[in-house]
Amino acid sequence: MTSPVTIALDAHGGDNGVAVSVPAGLAMLAERPELRLVFVGQREVIDPYLQQAGTAADRVTVQDARQVVGMDEHPADALRKKKDSSMRVAIDLVKAGQADACVSAGNTGALMATARFVLKTLPGIDRPAIMVAVPTMHGCTHMLDLGANADCTPEHLFQFAVMGSVVATVIDNIDFPRIALLNIGEEEIKGNETVKQAAALLASSHLNYVGFIEADRIPDQRADVVVCDGFTGNVALKAMEGTARLVRHFLREEFGRGLYGRVAGLVALPVLRALSGKLDPRRYNGASLVGLDGIVIKSHGGADAVAFRQAIRTAMVEVAKQVPDQIRRLLAEQAQ
């Protein structure tokens, strides 16, 4: 029998708040009988949505929290002034052991700052990182950091590699994940000093470091984990998302051009649907805030119910695989 998993949901986080988080949570309860959910937020706003809970009502709890962190709120203000926010209370539940993980679609900076303050980082980790699985030709590649740390030292990049290696191992069952550093070229002479020094650290470690990788080679899945600073990673990720939208736009435009295009579109409809599914960013929603002494998953702020459900699934997998404990173990091995 599968062990119960309790997830605290920041019900008010994101652009759509309870209109997405609660229906998505209820759908997941119907899908996963071992799941227990704590909806954190203003009870009078949440309760009307829970009328659809049905037989899953006994696996639902509402934790009242009176404040909401705005999507444009400064992280320091959220940390100091919003101690009774749905975001903060959801993370507090993880700290207290009343929830196994937290999922929020709220302000990324505030979520990272609050989670780091409440949960702290794992021993040997200086900074948590944002990690996402991005689609490739043969599956997916894990990228980090994607926005939490704009400036990094070589040691930070090394720590990101350790964390990414653990996630690729426990989530994708890869025994010896290939680690690459994102760079402006694959040659050893390319890149800034930070990247070069990080490469030296990785080359002398027990990790499976395979060298530099350029952004256009990420879809080839030459590496299972791609490591970079948060500035570079966020730019690369947004470029990938924009390219996917551009491809979908051109396909719709061409297949809608004239009678021949529309007929060709009908013939190609099964292929187009399959392609759309593979490029659908909702399938990959749920960024891990790795390096924390606890599990926190960041959903996209504009996520719909389908995407938010995927973030909950990501949290459940990390709970089942005990990701923070696995990172702690690998760090200890690297130190020996």
Side-chain angles (χ1 to χ4, degrees):
M1 181 177 177
T2 306
S3 301
V5 177
T6 301
I7 308 293
L9 300 184
D10 170 12
H12 294 292
D15 298 333
N16 304 302
V18 295
V20 161
S21 62
V22 180
L26 295 181
M28 281 301 299
L29 288 169
E31 178 182 313
R32 303 293 291 271
E34 74 274 24
L35 179 62
R36 310 289 188 272
L37 290 178
V38 182
F39 293 103
V40 184
Q42 297 166 3
R43 183 181 297 273
E44 69 277 11
V45 178
I46 296 171
D47 280 347
Y49 288 89
L50 294 180
Q51 295 176 3
Q52 306 299 319
T55 57
D58 62 340
R59 293 186 281 131
V60 171
T61 304
V62 177
Q63 178 69 49
D64 194 63
R66 305 315 301 171
Q67 296 174 303
V68 176
V69 174
M71 293 299 284
D72 58 351
E73 195 160 345
H74 194 281
D77 290 337
L79 186 59
R80 289 196 309 266
K81 302 175 182 178
K82 297 288 183 70
K83 296 181 181 180
D84 192 35
S85 69
S86 55
M87 178 186 291
R88 173 65 176 269
V89 174
I91 296 172
D92 284 341
L93 290 174
V94 177
K95 176 67 173 180
Q98 296 175 258
D100 299 304
C102 163
V103 177
S104 173
N107 180 317
T108 302
L111 183 66
M112 177 61 83
T114 303
R116 185 175 181 180
F117 176 79
V118 174
L119 299 174
K120 311 305 185 215
T121 57
L122 291 165
I125 296 295
D126 296 323
R127 298 181 182 181
I130 298 174
M131 183 179 64
V132 169
V134 298
T136 65
M137 296 178 186
H138 309 290
C140 71
T141 290
H142 299 275
M143 285 186 66
L144 74 166
D145 178 34
L146 295 178
N149 306 283
D151 298 305
C152 295
T153 66
E155 290 74 18
H156 293 148
L157 296 179
F158 177 79
Q159 292 169 14
F160 297 166
V162 171
M163 295 188 291
S165 181
V166 168
V167 172
T169 297
V170 301
I171 301 297
D172 297 334
N173 299 313
I174 302 172
D175 291 333
F176 204 33
R178 297 164 298 167
I179 313 293
L181 281 169
L182 188 60
N183 200 0
I184 57 173
E186 296 182 3
E187 299 86 355
E188 291 184 4
I189 61 172
K190 294 288 183 70
N192 57 34
E193 285 304 309
T194 298
V195 171
K196 291 178 182 178
Q197 291 176 31
L201 290 174
L202 288 166
S204 63
S205 74
H206 300 302
L207 298 175
N208 185 15
Y209 175 60
V210 296
F212 296 140
I213 189 170
E214 294 182 83
D216 64 332
R217 293 301 186 182
I218 293 174
D220 299 344
Q221 202 175 2
R222 295 186 177 185
D224 303 300
V225 178
V226 174
V227 175
C228 51
D229 63 72
F231 182 92
T232 305
N234 192 272
V235 170
L237 179 66
K238 295 299 172 59
M240 291 181 206
E241 293 174 346
T243 301
R245 287 197 302 272
L246 185 65
V247 170
R248 289 196 295 267
H249 167 77
F250 283 149
L251 286 172
R252 286 194 300 267
E253 186 178 72
E254 292 304 316
F255 282 122
R257 194 188 303 276
L259 178 61
Y260 178 79
R262 289 193 291 273
V263 172
L266 287 173
V267 174
L269 190 58
V271 174
L272 293 174
R273 284 176 174 168
L275 175 62
S276 180
K278 289 180 179 179
L279 294 177
D280 189 348
R282 298 179 302 178
R283 293 182 58 200
Y284 304 94
N285 186 49
S288 304
L289 273 57
V290 290
L292 296 168
D293 194 7
I295 297 170
V296 177
I297 303 298
K298 170 66 173 74
S299 169
H300 193 284
D304 62 9
V306 173
F308 200 85
R309 285 164 61 184
Q310 182 59 36
I312 298 173
R313 291 190 191 97
T314 300
M316 294 184 71
V317 170
E318 293 207 6
V319 171
K321 299 291 187 175
Q322 300 179 320
V323 168
D325 289 339
Q326 297 281 4
I327 293 174
R328 185 184 287 108
R329 178 189 58 78
L330 185 57
L331 283 168
E333 291 177 359
Q334 292 292 326
Q336 293 178 356

